[in-house]
Amino acid sequence: MPQRPLVLFDREYGCANLVLQTAHLKADKLIRLRSNRCLYSAPPAYSGRGRPRSHGKKFQINDPQTWWAAEEMVELDDPKLGQLQIRRWDNLHFRSSAQHPMTLILVERKALGSNCRQVKPLWLAWIGEGENSCSLEVVWMDYLRRFAIEHWYRLAKQTLHWTLPHLSTKRTM
């Protein structure tokens, strides 16, 4: 392929098991994470005593007191969504997949109008090649592509009746 493929996963798939089972795929992965997930930073340097540590500081997504300063923060003004703040933390991992680091991305709507409902923040995990491929201005919009695909599947199942079995037998002449 001329370009590395991008695989999008919804939040029910965002776990260490998915990361481990898809580690061999030659594709970038963008995974929505549930707000109750817990991630860990890279371990500190080995002190020379005992077993080397596998995990560093704990990053609890639903507890802002466990967050540290983001590596990058961008503020955008989207014509449909309004003012957005996007933050990035590098080199985090799930407890069971410490050897597979990822980039954590938080997308928040800042300026909500009086007629807008409160929207929960969007947590994404990026696993891919190089840091240049994870541009904050673009990566969150890549996740929005998933909704067009999901609606197509819903159309195929409901309107085209792809959920019904197509049973047939060989005709004998």
Side-chain angles (χ1 to χ4, degrees), residues 17-83:
N17 196 19
L18 174 85
V19 172
L20 291 171
Q21 291 186 16
T22 60
H24 67 282
L25 294 178
K26 302 289 186 213
D28 295 333
K29 298 169 205 79
L30 188 58
I31 307 165
R32 183 177 178 188
L33 298 177
R34 294 173 61 165
S35 62
N36 64 351
R37 293 286 181 208
C38 180
L39 302 169
Y40 296 89
S41 67
Y46 180 56
S47 65
R49 295 188 59 182
R51 180 175 174 261
R53 293 182 58 189
S54 300
H55 313 293
K57 291 174 26 182
K58 186 176 185 178
F59 190 103
Q60 184 75 33
I61 289 178
N62 57 8
D63 184 9
Q65 292 187 8
T66 63
W67 305 354
W68 50 86
E71 274 80 17
E72 182 182 2
M73 185 179 78
V74 175
E75 292 195 6
L76 300 172
D77 196 18
D78 187 72
K80 291 183 182 178
L81 299 174
Q83 188 178 4

Side-chain angles (χ1 to χ4, degrees), residues 9-15 32 34 37:
F9 294 99
D10 198 11
R11 67 181 176 186
E12 297 306 319
Y13 298 101
C15 62
R32 183 177 178 188
R34 294 173 61 165
R37 293 286 181 208

